[in-house]
């Protein structure tokens, strides 16, 4: 099938690791040109060199702290300077703090919202006019199933993700007259550095081995395993592609069946 992504300019946040890295790789394999953001410049440069070597992909590694509005603007400006515009924005950089409700200080709420909720909204606000100028484009928000089904000891993530699912739908309505299609992907448990950290925290909190902690965390997953970053990336590529030309305002889980609602 033809994705139509060859030559398109895709911005991917949180591209240095995990799901974002897999998304960047999958978009590069389809011939997209990439603007990659995260804080760790060394990892971005390494990824850019890899994608250039393996796929001949033009890449702009852009070190930026996406909790800061000015750094988001700088990333967008650098992308336009390098590639002349933007076709796809993938909002993915996130690191929400988990923990028992009464132990999470208010600052944890502010910091987590600053990156996951406001980071996504700010990037979309900067890129939306550029997509409109271009006659259309795509925004894909990598959110999380906690936005649909709250998880214990994850109240900040539950709230940020629920807000982002709502923003996705609202932005899809805003974008439709301009050919801007906006969708969300909700990962369930995906094997990344974040997931490994969660397993360690869970094992410490419950006083069980990491293997037992992982088994407990996966108990409600019908497919009985964590997903891979590539399995999330496949859906993101589809949503960013010409194949998804009649899909907007959706939030689709990639979670091995974990969320029980339709
Ligand atoms: N893995 C899962 O099981 C899972 C489940 C549900 C939802 N999700 C969501 O999926 C997305 C990706 O998760 P992941 O598991 O791939 O996470 P990850 O492995 O921890 O990677 C997070 C990415 O975000 C970047 N990042 C973190 N803070 C940043 C900041 N202030 N400014 C710029 N970039 C920043 C990190 O790079 P630097 O550290 O270099 O900045 C990294 O590239 C997140 O939004 C997460 O909430 C993941």
């Amino acid at each position: 099938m033809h994705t139509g992504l060859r030559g398109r300019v895709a911005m991917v946040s949180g591209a240095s690791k995990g799901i974002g890295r897999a998304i960047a790789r999958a978009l590069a394999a389809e011939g997209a040109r990439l603007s990659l953001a995260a804080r760790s410049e060394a990892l971005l440069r390494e990824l850019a060199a890899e994608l250039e070597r393996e796929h001949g992909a033009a890449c702009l590694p852009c070190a930026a702290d996406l909790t800061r509005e000015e750094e988001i603007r700088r990333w967008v400006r650098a992308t336009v300077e390098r590639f002349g515009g933007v076709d796809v924005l993938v909002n993915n950089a996130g690191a929400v703090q988990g923990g028992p409700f009464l132990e999470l200080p208010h600052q944890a709420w502010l910091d987590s919202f600053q990156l996951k909720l406001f980071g996504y909204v700010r990037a979309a606000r900067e890129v939306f006019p550029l997509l409109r100028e271009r006659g259309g484009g795509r925004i894909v928000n990598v959110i999380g199933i906690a936005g649909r089904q709250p998880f214990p000891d994850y109240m900040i993530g539950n709230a940020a993700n629920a807000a982002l699912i709502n923003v996705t739908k609202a932005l899809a309505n805003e974008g439709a007259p301009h050919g801007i299609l906006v969708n969300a992907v909700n990962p369930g448990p995906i094997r990344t550095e974040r997931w490994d950290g969660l397993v360690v925290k869970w094992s410490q909190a419950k006083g069980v081995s990491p293997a037992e902690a992982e088994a407990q965390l996966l108990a409600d997953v019908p497919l009985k395993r964590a997903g891979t970053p590539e399995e999330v990336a496949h859906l993101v590529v589809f949503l960013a592609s010409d194949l998804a030309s009649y899909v907007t305002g959706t939030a689709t889980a990639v979670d091995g069946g974990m969320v029980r609602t339709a």
Side-chain angles (χ1 to χ4, degrees):
M1 281 193 283
H2 183 62
T3 61
L5 284 164
R6 183 154 299 283
R8 299 253 167 92
V9 178
M11 300 176 66
V12 182
S13 77
S16 63
K17 297 174 199 156
I19 294 171
R21 194 175 176 96
I23 291 169
R25 294 187 67 86
L27 288 168
E30 290 303 315
R33 294 180 285 166
L34 291 160
S35 176
L36 309 168
R39 289 164 304 178
S40 37
E41 188 165 14
L43 288 179
L44 290 179
R45 285 190 181 283
E46 182 193 289
L47 175 65
E50 204 174 294
L51 300 183
E52 165 89 18
R53 201 171 52 243
E54 289 174 16
H55 302 290
C59 289
L60 173 69
C62 187
D65 180 347
L66 302 176
T67 59
R68 301 162 72 101
E69 186 161 22
E70 183 42 40
E71 303 232 340
I72 293 176
R73 290 216 179 100
R74 185 170 56 76
W75 177 35
V76 175
R77 264 199 317 270
T79 306
V80 172
E81 274 165 26
R82 168 76 189 269
F83 295 120
V86 182
D87 300 296
V88 176
L89 168 66
V90 182
N91 275 318
N92 166 81
V96 171
Q97 205 174 316
F101 175 56
L102 293 179
E103 288 173 24
L104 286 172
H106 194 63
Q107 196 59 43
W109 284 81
L110 295 176
D111 292 346
S112 299
F113 270 54
Q114 192 67 10
L115 177 64
K116 183 109 189 207
L117 178 58
F118 300 143
Y120 283 28
V121 169
R122 283 168 170 156
R125 199 165 51 219
E126 293 299 317
V127 167
F128 192 96
L130 301 171
L131 299 179
R132 200 174 47 195
E133 267 171 36
R134 208 104 150 152
R138 303 294 164 90
I139 298 175
V140 183
N141 293 324
V142 178
I143 303 179
I145 53 172
R148 289 260 193 253
Q149 176 174 293
F151 288 99
D153 293 347
Y154 196 58
M155 202 182 285
I156 303 177
N158 297 335
N161 288 352
L164 278 171
I165 291 171
N166 195 291
V167 165
T168 299
K169 187 72 186 167
L171 204 56
N173 294 339
E174 292 273 328
H178 310 288
I180 302 170
L181 310 190
V182 188
N183 291 285
V185 172
N186 287 333
I190 304 298
R191 201 169 291 287
T192 62
E193 216 173 272
R194 242 178 78 77
W195 170 256
D196 294 343
L198 190 69
V199 169
V200 170
K201 272 195 191 145
W202 190 271
S203 80
Q204 286 164 353
K206 305 290 171 191
V208 295
S209 69
E212 176 54 25
E214 182 154 296
Q216 288 180 9
L217 287 164
L218 293 174
D220 287 339
V221 179
L223 291 185
K224 291 294 169 218
R225 66 174 176 87
T228 65
E230 290 71 27
E231 287 172 313
V232 180
H234 292 157
L235 180 57
V236 174
V237 166
F238 169 74
L239 291 169
S241 79
D242 288 352
L243 298 170
S245 50
Y246 199 54
V247 181
T248 193
T250 66
T252 305
V254 181
D255 67 347
M258 191 173 184
V259 167
R260 291 293 193 268
T261 54

